């Protein structure tokens, strides 16, 4: 078989692959925002002060929409993405105390999180047993 008969991938397949790669990269980055130590590192490197990065964080807000949020495994990532929209939070994240406080609040949330109690058999929602 000569090389002239080998066809290159179609532009549609190339675009789909590029879109999938972008989706995966942005998903991975958004999920990394759940880590207070990563946020602290970004702040100490003054990355959170760069206007282009702030614009990127604003662009990433689409992950809060239901169609995208369902792919997020670490819900704190979305909360931190919202907090990162505020200049004061971005500035304060340079401090070790803020990193530690955010880390503790996250831990406390996980520690105290409870699934709603299972409904008793034969009992409808909102009904109480006597």
């Amino acid at each position: 078989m000569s090389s002239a008969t080998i066809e290159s991938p179609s532009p549609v397949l190339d675009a789909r692959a590029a879109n999938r790669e972008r989706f995966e990269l942005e998903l991975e980055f958004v999920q990394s925002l759940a880590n207070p130590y990563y946020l602290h590192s970004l702040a100490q490197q003054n990355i959170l002060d760069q206007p282009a990065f702030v614009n990127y964080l604003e662009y990433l807000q689409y992950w809060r929409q239901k169609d995208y949020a369902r792919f997020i495994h670490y819900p704190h990532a979305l909360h931190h993405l919202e907090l990162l929209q505020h200049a004061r939070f971005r500035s304060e994240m340079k401090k070790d105390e803020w990193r530690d406080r955010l880390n503790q609040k996250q831990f406390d949330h996980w520690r105290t999180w409870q699934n709603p109690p299972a409904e008793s058999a034969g009992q409808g929602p909102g009904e109480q047993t006597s």
Side-chain angles (χ1 to χ4, degrees):
M1 181 183 282
S2 70
S3 62
T5 60
I6 299 175
E7 295 182 28
S8 63
S10 73
V12 172
L13 291 178
D14 287 345
R16 290 182 83 190
N19 286 340
R20 181 179 179 91
E21 182 177 346
R22 180 179 174 181
F23 175 84
E24 290 172 353
L25 287 171
E26 289 179 357
L27 173 60
E28 184 176 344
F29 176 73
V30 168
Q31 292 196 113
S32 72
L33 299 177
N35 184 337
Y37 287 88
Y38 181 61
L39 297 179
H40 180 66
S41 175
L42 292 175
Q44 287 191 321
Q45 296 174 59
N46 294 318
I47 293 172
L48 298 181
D49 296 332
Q50 298 173 6
F53 192 77
V54 173
N55 289 339
Y56 183 60
L57 291 171
E58 185 177 340
Y59 157 75
L60 291 173
Q61 287 290 308
Y62 75 88
W63 283 98
R64 297 174 55 94
Q65 297 172 14
K66 182 175 70 171
D67 290 340
Y68 294 95
R70 66 190 176 109
F71 294 100
I72 301 288
H73 291 277
Y74 308 105
H76 278 104
L78 296 176
H79 178 64
H80 295 170
L81 179 60
E82 175 61 32
L83 292 173
L84 286 165
Q85 303 303 309
H86 305 282
R88 179 170 180 230
F89 179 79
R90 293 191 306 268
S91 174
E92 297 289 349
M93 273 310 299
K94 292 178 183 177
K95 300 175 183 174
D96 292 345
E97 306 83 50
W98 271 68
R99 177 206 57 215
D100 294 341
R101 182 170 183 256
L102 188 62
N103 189 53
Q104 186 63 47
K105 288 181 77 66
Q106 188 176 47
F107 174 77
D108 290 344
H109 181 267
W110 288 336
R111 182 176 53 82
T112 60
W113 177 260
Q114 296 179 2
N115 288 328
E119 293 181 21
S120 300
Q123 186 178 2
E127 295 177 6
Q128 296 180 357
T129 58
S130 46

